[in-house]
Amino acid sequence: MAEFGIYVHIPFCRHRCDYCAFATWTDRDHLMESYVDAVVTDIQRSVERGLPVADTVFFGGGTPTRLAPDLLAKIVTAIPISPHAEITVECNPDDVTPEMMRVYADAGVNRVSIGVQAMVSHVLVALGRTHNPSNVALAVEAARSAGISSINLDIMYGAHGETLDDWKQTVEQIVALRPTHVSAYGLTVEAGTPLAEDPARHPDDDDQADKYIVTDDVLSASGLTNYEISNWALPGHECRHNMVYWMQGNYQGFGCAAHSH
């Protein structure tokens, strides 16, 4: 049976990455509480109009973990969900704490997607990312200690100056953390970003093709199955929310840049 999904857009970021073309704010943290109240009000009105019970919920951004954990939990509890719903929050590893994960888990969050991108410091700098690679392992442990066992690690290949060995190091370190799911994307140049304005830093197609092969070899050998072009999972840990998208299912978006289908 087709599942119904809900996507919640949290537009706040501490820093905008050089490749990012998403709708995000780095200077409006003062709006966080008002924004959450508006999203909750929108959800409540939709419920009154007959919003279906959600089988999957996904918090994306921006950076959802920029919100205080109780604010994000306030949104979760406003959503009508089915008994076995998948509820995912995208996380910046620098933001994650054990207390944050406990608040999420208590609210019903059972899956996190941690934005790693790379485990090599100079590659993170090339991407305009600010987190410390060592915080990734701490974030994974914090999620597990809170009882959140479905963990996706999000990585990206093709940054300027990233060698094939750098990428292999990232993938192998990711595998060592024993995630249940890995999303590996080739860096894409989006119009209007700092990356787009610097052709010397644009990714090379052949280089990305080589890195995709490495990705599939290493992840497959670890027991993760490539069930979609850029996604690998242990059996039973495929992202149900993304499957709603890919199967042309129905979903409702809440937040300033969310849309529905």
Side-chain angles (χ1 to χ4, degrees):
M1 293 178 62
E3 295 196 298
F4 179 74
I6 285 179
Y7 176 82
V8 183
H9 178 227
I10 305 299
F12 306 100
C13 277
R14 181 180 290 107
H15 165 79
R16 177 183 283 274
C17 300
D18 287 354
Y19 56 84
C20 177
F22 292 133
T24 64
W25 301 330
T26 58
D27 58 352
R28 303 186 193 183
D29 287 5
H30 61 286
L31 296 178
M32 286 180 176
E33 290 191 23
S34 297
Y35 183 88
V36 168
D37 288 342
V39 170
V40 169
T41 297
D42 196 15
I43 292 169
Q44 291 170 341
R45 290 173 177 171
S46 294
V47 170
E48 292 170 1
R49 293 192 296 265
L51 179 73
V53 171
D55 302 297
T56 73
V57 179
F58 197 102
F59 285 80
T63 309
T65 49
R66 287 290 291 138
L67 292 180
D70 61 308
L71 287 179
L72 188 136
K74 184 177 180 179
I75 300 175
V76 175
T77 55
I79 299 170
I81 60 171
S82 63
H84 303 290
E86 173 194 87
I87 305 177
T88 304
V89 178
E90 287 187 337
C91 302
N92 181 331
D94 281 353
D95 294 336
V96 172
T97 65
E99 174 60 20
M100 172 184 281
M101 292 296 103
R102 284 193 291 270
V103 173
Y104 284 4
D106 288 345
V109 173
N110 51 22
R111 185 176 184 272
V112 292
S113 180
I114 300 173
V116 178
Q117 314 316 344
M119 294 294 282
V120 178
S121 295
H122 79 86
V123 178
L124 288 169
V125 171
L127 289 168
R129 297 283 291 183
T130 59
H131 70 262
N132 186 327
S134 64
N135 286 345
V136 175
L138 296 176
V140 169
E141 178 55 33
R144 287 193 174 122
S145 68
I148 300 173
S149 58
S150 194
I151 297 172
N152 174 57
L153 299 180
D154 211 334
I155 53 179
M156 180 180 291
Y157 53 91
H160 179 67
E162 178 188 63
T163 66
L164 195 59
D165 285 342
D166 288 335
W167 177 246
K168 188 174 183 180
Q169 181 179 333
T170 285
V171 180
E172 289 176 342
Q173 289 189 38
I174 289 298
V175 165
L177 295 173
R178 299 178 292 107
T180 56
H181 190 289
V182 174
S183 296
Y185 299 105
L187 176 62
T188 304
V189 179
E190 301 286 354
T193 62
L195 178 63
E197 297 167 3
D198 189 357
R201 296 167 55 210
H202 290 184
D204 176 80
D205 289 348
D206 290 334
D207 174 70
Q208 288 192 315
D210 290 342
K211 288 170 181 172
Y212 184 90
I213 292 171
V214 167
T215 306
D216 190 50
D217 286 347
V218 175
L219 296 182
S220 296
S222 75
L224 295 158
T225 299
N226 181 213
Y227 73 103
E228 190 274 341
I229 292 172
S230 300
N231 289 273
W232 288 255
L234 294 178
H237 286 275
E238 297 82 3
C239 181
R240 289 162 52 195
H241 187 82
N242 282 347
M243 293 292 286
V244 171
Y245 296 155
W246 301 329
M247 301 301 290
Q248 296 291 297
N250 295 325
Y251 54 91
Q252 178 74 37
F254 295 97
C256 66
H259 67 90
S260 307
H261 177 269

